[in-house]
Amino acid sequence: MKKILPALFLIFLTLPIHGQEKTLAEKLGYSKTDKLLIIHADDIGLAHSENVATLASMTEGIVNSTSIMMPCAWSTEVGELIQNFPNLDVGVHITLTNEWFNYKWRPVASAEKVPGLISESGFMHFDCATVSQNATPEEVETEMRAQIEAALKIGIKPTHLDSHMGCVFYGRPEYVASYLKLGQEYGIPAMITPEIVESIIKANPSLFTEFDVDNLPIITQIASASPQEYDEKGMEGYYTSLLNNLQPGITALLIHVAFDDAEMQAITLRHPYWNSPWRQADYDFFTSEKAKNLIEENNIKLVTWREIGAL
């Protein structure tokens, strides 16, 4: 008996203990104290300028992830641009809104299937609140699926799903259920955070019974510059501070890169934020030696959605 008890104790120590499941970082082979970062350029497909700058920031800079806006006019170009870069991390940026004044787009799905996603002007709604007031969960799921299928048709094998302007998360909880459902169906991670789990998934358990919530690929946090930080610190100041103070876990840093040229100036007209100069500043920083040095000096490890999806 004396020999059996220590053996049983050792077996007990190897068993998983509730509340001590491995974090996503640990599942990737890192420790809980490692600082992991996805540098993610939103909005590829928005414009030619956005496409070229995003590809350059990924092949010449340290940006390691992007996601495509399939309803936009320049989305099909992305399929051609990435042909020589098959391992790039490219997801689908689920797009339910159209926030620009003079550059408009419609849903990918046919109008009769998603009437609630179309405004009186015939294009997508201007903001997330209007989407949630008008679009049914069925319509949103139809459009999400149409965007994923459209990406596949131009040769993109999506590495993940995320949400333009966060409308999937700021709308109805059913939108999130469809978002996770499609991620599961297509075998790719759908980006969520602990806050989304607590405020939406756990708050509406009946909508999420088909998901193993404890094993969803949950990143630690999302970081993105705010208008206040843009005004007070500038992009270089904000990103320098962020990288110097990055916390352990997986952070998805959402940026927007493009060139401050005539095309982007026209698209972002009368928008004081996330505009053409903002996007140029993002590009400049993440293709700079300073950014590369800050990653090394702070012992930050870059990870991708492709790696997460491989789990």
Side-chain angles (χ1 to χ4, degrees), residues 42-290:
D42 280 350
D43 296 358
I44 196 171
L46 174 70
H48 175 69
S49 176
E50 191 93 22
N51 294 349
V52 175
T54 300
L55 186 61
S57 70
M58 297 180 78
T59 57
E60 301 169 18
I62 59 172
V63 174
N64 64 345
S65 182
T66 187
S67 55
I68 187 168
M69 299 177 72
M70 285 310 304
C72 298
W74 284 94
S75 59
T76 54
E77 182 189 48
V78 178
E80 290 193 22
L81 291 176
I82 67 169
Q83 284 182 3
N84 295 325
F85 306 97
N87 295 319
L88 288 185
D89 201 69
V90 183
V92 175
H93 200 43
I94 298 296
T95 303
L96 303 177
T97 52
N98 181 184
E99 69 274 22
W100 307 112
F101 293 114
N102 295 320
Y103 176 37
K104 299 296 182 182
W105 55 78
R106 296 176 175 86
V108 173
S110 59
E112 61 268 19
K113 291 182 179 179
V114 292
L117 282 170
I118 300 173
S119 69
E120 292 181 358
S121 65
F123 302 102
M124 280 185 148
H125 296 294
F126 188 79
D127 56 35
C128 299
T130 311
V131 171
S132 62
Q133 290 166 9
N134 291 277
T136 68
E138 293 76 18
E139 290 172 325
V140 169
E141 182 171 323
T142 296
E143 178 61 19
M144 289 183 190
R145 185 183 300 279
Q147 291 182 21
I148 296 169
E149 288 292 331
L152 289 167
K153 285 179 181 177
I154 63 170
I156 292 172
K157 297 178 181 178
T159 55
H160 67 285
L161 302 178
D162 56 42
S163 174
H164 182 55
M165 295 175 65
C167 289
V168 170
F169 314 123
Y170 300 139
R172 307 184 195 184
E174 291 88 351
Y175 297 174
V176 179
S178 292
Y179 171 77
L180 295 179
K181 170 187 170 182
L182 291 171
Q184 191 167 276
E185 180 180 329
Y186 286 91
I188 53 178
M191 185 180 73
I192 57 170
T193 63
E195 290 76 18
I196 293 168
V197 172
E198 292 299 323
S199 64
I200 300 175
I201 297 175
K202 290 187 177 179
N204 300 277
S206 63
L207 295 176
F208 298 93
T209 54
E210 64 182 286
F211 305 106
D212 182 0
V213 177
D214 291 331
N215 284 308
L216 290 172
I218 304 168
I219 63 169
T220 310
Q221 64 177 345
I222 293 172
S224 186
S226 68
Q228 181 178 355
E229 287 155 338
Y230 178 73
D231 287 338
E232 295 179 357
K233 298 180 181 179
M235 292 294 91
E236 182 176 340
Y238 169 73
Y239 295 128
T240 299
S241 176
L242 177 78
L243 296 177
N244 281 332
N245 296 283
L246 196 70
Q247 297 302 303
I250 302 177
T251 299
L253 173 57
L254 309 184
I255 66 172
H256 305 81
V257 298
F259 298 124
D260 184 15
D261 56 18
E263 181 190 28
M264 287 308 300
Q265 289 166 15
I267 288 172
T268 62
L269 183 71
R270 298 201 301 276
H271 277 263
Y273 303 110
W274 295 285
N275 55 15
S276 189
W278 178 315
R279 290 168 192 249
Q280 179 74 61
D282 277 6
Y283 174 83
D284 290 344
F285 183 81
F286 287 100
T287 55
S288 70
E289 286 300 315
K290 179 175 182 177

